[in-house]
Amino acid sequence: MNVMALMKALPGSVAQGLIWGLLAIGVYITYKVLDYADLTVDGSLCTGGAVAVMMMLGGYNPYVALLCAAVAGMMAGLVTGIFHVAFGIPAILSGILTQLGLYSVNMRIMGKSNQAISVDKYNLILSLRDILKAVTVSAICCAVVIIILYWFFGTELGRGIRATGNNENMSRAQGINTKVMKVIGLMISNGLVGVAGALYAQYQGNADVNMGRGAIVIGLAAVIIGGVLFGRIFHNFAFRLVGVIFGAILYFVVITIVLQLGLETTDLKLVSALIVAAFLAVPYLKGQHFMKNGKKGGKANA
């Protein structure tokens, strides 16, 4: 492995990890907070990128385009929520249906499968050409999002969403409209994914209709890595979100190391699946280990 090449690639991994960390926070909201298996993100990531790029190509301010990307992502989450709460479609299937439909929507938005945007011609918020700025801007975005979410989930509405994910039946008995809570949670989650898509499209210089393929795996990897490595350290909600960001960064660092070892880029999906499987297995294997030791200790004391 070329150590110098790895060191040069690490800042880019950090930048990507921070951008995808926003998506991972969105996944955390549905997967951990709301206890909802949402697969919409594979489509809403591209929707956010497509909306932002097309608006900037049309002459709009990049921050206005970023805001519209967030709204587009929220609309995708709204559709998934309506499928689930209004029509009784199971959570996973409702996300798949929205994701499937978003492919055609994204093609309509862009007019073709790929739309490029150059930092030389447009005033982008961040770009691959300036890694230091990309790291700084994406880190600021992550910090702002974490602060806002920490405040929001401390409000009555935010606590209602958390209660719904924790125990839906009990929340309903307490007078909480769990259907509305689910829809709002899905909208917030996919709104963040839309922002991540907008930033990522600017970072790589284009929006592609396939840019969101496998995004849910990366998001879950970040959530799981953050939970396994920092779960016992970070107990505060804000710090748990920080752990998710660190999980996304570590994921991309691992991917960079794997590429430096000489594996083909076509192997990345397999590597991603193995990373997720490994970190999912860690808590289970730890539990089994402690259970066995506990039983042995109990027999010995007897």
Side-chain angles (χ1 to χ4, degrees):
M1 181 171 63
N2 191 328
V3 178
M4 290 301 295
L6 177 61
M7 294 303 293
K8 288 181 180 179
L10 280 179
S13 301
V14 173
Q16 288 190 75
L18 288 167
I19 294 170
W20 283 81
L22 292 172
L23 176 142
I25 290 176
V27 172
Y28 181 89
I29 290 171
T30 51
Y31 183 65
K32 288 290 188 179
V33 176
L34 199 57
D35 193 25
Y36 189 104
D38 181 32
L39 300 182
T40 312
V41 296
D42 279 20
S44 56
L45 181 77
C46 178
T47 302
V51 168
V53 167
M54 294 308 294
M55 289 192 69
M56 286 186 288
L57 289 175
Y60 287 90
N61 183 283
Y63 293 98
V64 173
L66 189 67
L67 179 62
C68 291
V71 173
M74 292 178 74
M75 292 302 101
L78 175 63
V79 171
T80 299
I82 290 173
F83 279 160
H84 178 62
V85 303
F87 302 118
I89 300 174
I92 292 178
L93 187 54
S94 62
I96 292 174
L97 289 173
T98 306
Q99 174 199 136
L100 184 65
L102 283 176
Y103 182 90
S104 298
V105 172
N106 296 335
M107 285 291 290
R108 284 281 187 177
I109 293 171
M110 294 190 291
K112 55 183 180 179
S113 62
N114 184 287
Q115 282 284 1
I117 188 165
S118 174
V119 69
D120 296 326
K121 297 181 180 179
Y122 298 91
N123 184 27
L124 304 185
I125 298 174
L126 74 176
S127 171
L128 179 61
R129 293 194 190 176
D130 191 344
I131 295 295
L132 181 59
K133 181 183 176 182
V135 170
T136 304
V137 171
S138 52
I140 292 172
C141 288
C142 289
V144 170
V145 165
I146 289 172
I147 291 170
I148 292 173
L149 289 178
Y150 181 70
W151 165 80
F152 173 76
F153 280 104
T155 63
E156 184 177 351
L157 179 59
R159 289 196 295 269
I161 295 172
R162 296 173 74 173
T164 298
N166 188 50
N167 191 322
E168 185 176 349
N169 292 329
M170 182 62 72
S171 299
R172 196 181 297 114
Q174 294 296 321
I176 297 173
N177 191 329
T178 56
K179 291 184 177 181
V180 172
M181 295 300 107
K182 285 183 179 181
V183 172
I184 293 174
L186 286 166
M187 290 178 69
I188 294 171
S189 170
N190 284 281
L192 289 173
V193 175
V195 171
L199 292 176
Y200 187 60
Q202 293 177 65
Y203 177 79
Q204 66 180 2
N206 69 84
D208 189 274
V209 74
N210 292 314
M211 66 184 283
R213 185 170 294 176
I216 185 63
V217 176
I218 298 175
L220 283 173
V223 171
I224 293 162
I225 292 170
V228 171
L229 296 183
F230 306 106
R232 293 191 175 183
I233 303 172
F234 296 155
H235 300 290
N236 180 276
F237 181 74
F239 286 116
R240 286 182 179 178
L241 297 182
V242 172
V244 171
I245 299 291
F246 283 146
I249 293 172
L250 288 173
Y251 171 85
F252 280 97
V253 169
V254 170
I255 292 298
T256 300
I257 294 172
V258 167
L259 290 175
Q260 289 297 322
L261 290 173
L263 291 180
E264 298 292 335
T265 54
T266 51
D267 296 328
L268 288 182
K269 298 294 184 185
L270 175 60
V271 173
S272 299
L274 291 175
I275 290 172
V276 174
F279 278 94
L280 277 172
V282 167
Y284 173 77
L285 294 176
K286 274 187 178 180
Q288 292 295 309
H289 175 72
F290 288 128
M291 281 180 64
K292 288 180 180 179
N293 286 347
K295 288 179 179 178
K296 288 179 182 179
K299 289 179 180 178
N301 292 333

